[in-house]
């Protein structure tokens, strides 16, 4: 690959004839197709919630959730403007739903996750079951499930949406359908899925039809308690602090087939060791403040901020206070394809 491709008049003339046959020479592009390490247009980036919140609220005075279908400001990676991507394979956005509003029912083949950033008491309904959302909750809308959102509370709610849109586009497998009414009919009481499938029990004979977890709200109160308890045993990982994976209780696999989700606790004053992995990762700060070095950038983060770490980019965390970081990436896809790699420490 390091051999120099000759540049002769004969070759130039040869290249000109190829497009008519829908042909192209590999040797001119090989080194950019197959790189020794991941090379991406995805850049480290940070969305300071203090700065973007006024714009999100302003969107609420300009368009209703119903008019917009989903009132979202997309978090566009600065290396890929106009492409609706936060990483090469993932989409993210901040969605606002105001008191009294409804975001009408629809379904799509893309899987969606929500991480609640601000507010309390709005709901998402998935295939006939509502869940009431609180800050720090991780909520799933599995592929091809009917879902609508509503806010019966008295305050605005904002959440981070994560979808596998670029991945599904690459696979050319996008389907979308609107439900004829705003709301999909409710068929189960609030809390049904969490009680049934998220209590360390599974109903006898239960067989789950899809690869996504049947639990679709992982409340922050429970997640936080789990990590608080682990803290007592003081088992800090030098790179991750205390980091737990959200799981599908039926299979033990990730909660979603295309997106890994994690919550990590970093103690005050912790200085993590250098880490990198092939899954570009989106972080949302659930609690605390601090900074992280991402490649050659320093990102100073606070509660409710979002930041993104590109594939194979070195990261170190320096929490100033005890901090909880939620994160998501395409790691399950890479693992299933045998592609996922990580590296601890520096080169
Ligand atoms: C969607 O359905 C939601 O249901 C959010 O809240 C963001 C972005 C693109 C396509 C569908 C939602 C979306 C989306």
């Amino acid at each position: 690959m390091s051999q120099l491709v000759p540049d002769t008049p004969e070759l130039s003339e040869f290249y000109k004839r190829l497009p008519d046959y829908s042909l192209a020479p590999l040797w001119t592009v090989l080194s950019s197709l197959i790189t020794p390490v991941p090379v991406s247009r995805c850049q480290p980036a940070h969305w300071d919630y203090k700065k973007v919140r006024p714009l999100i609220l302003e969107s609420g005075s300009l368009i209703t959730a119903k008019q917009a279908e989903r009132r979202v400001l997309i978090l566009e990676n600065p290396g890929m403007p106009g492409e609706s991507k936060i990483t090469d394979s993932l989409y993210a956005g901040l969605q606002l739903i105001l008191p009294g509003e409804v975001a009408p029912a629809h379904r799509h083949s893309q899987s969606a996750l929500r991480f609640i950033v601000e507010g309390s008491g709005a709901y998402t309904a998935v295939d006939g079951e509502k869940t009431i959302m609180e800050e720090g909750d991780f909520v799933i809308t599995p592929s091809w499930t009917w879902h609508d959102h509503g806010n019966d509370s008295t305050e605005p709610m904002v959440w981070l949406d994560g979808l596998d849109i670029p991945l599904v586009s690459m696979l050319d497998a996008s389907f979308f359908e609107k439900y004829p009414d705003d709301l999909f009919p409710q068929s189960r009481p609030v809390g049904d899925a969490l009680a049934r499938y998220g209590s360390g029990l599974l109903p006898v004979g239960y067989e789950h039809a899809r690869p996504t977890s049947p639990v679709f709200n992982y409340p922050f109160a429970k997640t936080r308690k789990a990590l608080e308890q682990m803290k007592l045993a003081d088992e800090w990982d030098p790179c991750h602090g205390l980091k737990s994976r959200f799981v599908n209780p039926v299979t033990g696999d990730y909660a979603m087939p295309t997106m890994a989700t994690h919550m990590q606790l970093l103690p005050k004053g912790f200085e993590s060791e250098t880490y990198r992995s092939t899954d570009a990762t989106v972080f949302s700060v659930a609690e605390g403040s601090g900074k992280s070095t991402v490649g050659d950038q320093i990102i100073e983060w606070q509660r409710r901020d979002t930041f993104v770490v590109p594939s194979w980019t070195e990261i170190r965390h320096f929490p100033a206070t005890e901090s909880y970081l939620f994160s998501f990436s395409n790691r399950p896809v890479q693992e299933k394809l045998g592609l996922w790699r990580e590296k601890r420490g520096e080169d």
Side-chain angles (χ1 to χ4, degrees), residues 70 72 91 95 106 108 114 147 149 159 161 163 165:
R70 297 295 186 260
V72 181
Y91 158 101
Q95 177 159 182
H106 68 204
H108 35 74
R114 334 273 169 204
H147 56 285
H149 316 296
W159 63 72
D161 282 315
L163 285 90
I165 293 173

Side-chain angles (χ1 to χ4, degrees), residues 75-90:
L75 305 183
E76 287 209 318
N77 192 284
M80 299 179 278
E83 295 186 31
S84 306
K85 292 175 178 179
I86 191 161
T87 72
D88 292 84
S89 67
L90 297 171

Side-chain angles (χ1 to χ4, degrees), residues 103-343:
H106 68 204
R107 62 178 177 176
H108 35 74
S109 48
Q110 292 80 359
S111 296
L113 67 85
R114 334 273 169 204
F115 183 70
I116 314 309
V117 169
E118 177 182 344
S120 167
Y123 69 84
T124 283
V126 175
D127 267 352
E129 181 179 332
K130 268 186 186 177
T131 185
I132 311 295
M133 301 180 287
E134 306 295 333
E135 281 175 21
D137 289 2
F138 156 51
V139 176
I140 300 174
T141 312
S143 170
W144 209 236
T145 52
W146 293 109
H147 56 285
D148 48 81
H149 316 296
N151 189 347
D152 297 332
S153 84
T154 54
E155 45 188 294
M157 179 173 271
V158 177
W159 63 72
L160 175 68
D161 282 315
L163 285 90
D164 52 10
I165 293 173
L167 180 68
V168 173
S169 299
M170 197 192 67
L171 300 171
D172 227 342
S174 176
F175 291 91
F176 173 80
E177 205 176 347
K178 272 174 89 79
Y179 193 68
D181 300 321
D182 278 357
L183 305 180
F184 187 75
Q186 300 302 300
S187 55
R188 289 181 304 284
V190 172
D192 192 272
L194 186 58
R196 238 175 241 268
Y197 311 114
S199 306
L201 297 158
L202 288 176
V204 168
Y206 175 73
E207 281 182 35
H208 193 51
R210 35 174 194 249
T212 309
S213 172
V215 175
F216 70 105
N217 187 350
Y218 294 74
F220 186 51
K222 279 185 103 170
T223 305
R224 198 180 189 289
K225 212 167 168 185
L227 290 168
E228 280 267 301
Q229 185 69 31
M230 287 164 67
K231 194 169 83 175
L232 302 177
D234 213 16
E235 302 152 349
W236 305 101
D237 176 282
C239 295
H240 304 303
L242 276 174
K243 187 168 183 176
S244 283
R245 180 166 74 85
F246 289 97
V247 295
N248 176 342
V250 183
T251 60
D253 204 342
Y254 293 101
M256 312 182 74
T258 52
M259 291 184 280
T261 47
H262 291 87
M263 183 71 81
Q264 78 194 89
L265 168 56
L266 300 168
K268 180 180 172 169
F270 188 70
E271 298 192 352
S272 75
E273 278 181 15
T274 304
Y275 180 80
R276 59 164 89 171
S277 60
T278 49
D279 53 323
T281 303
V282 180
F283 287 86
S284 179
V285 183
E287 263 185 47
S289 61
K291 65 180 182 187
S292 300
T293 56
V294 182
D296 56 11
Q297 290 198 28
I298 300 171
I299 292 175
E300 297 207 34
W301 43 261
Q302 292 180 45
R303 179 167 172 243
R304 296 176 165 153
D305 289 1
T306 309
F307 61 95
V308 60
V309 180
S311 167
W312 214 238
T313 302
E314 287 185 335
I315 180 157
R316 291 188 71 191
H317 299 297
F318 303 91
T321 63
E322 180 177 272
S323 301
Y324 286 84
L325 301 182
F326 172 82
S327 58
F328 69 96
S329 76
N330 70 11
R331 181 169 165 174
V333 179
Q334 294 201 26
E335 285 184 348
K336 289 201 171 61
L337 301 179
L339 293 170
W340 186 78
R341 289 198 202 188
E342 67 178 340
K343 186 169 190 301

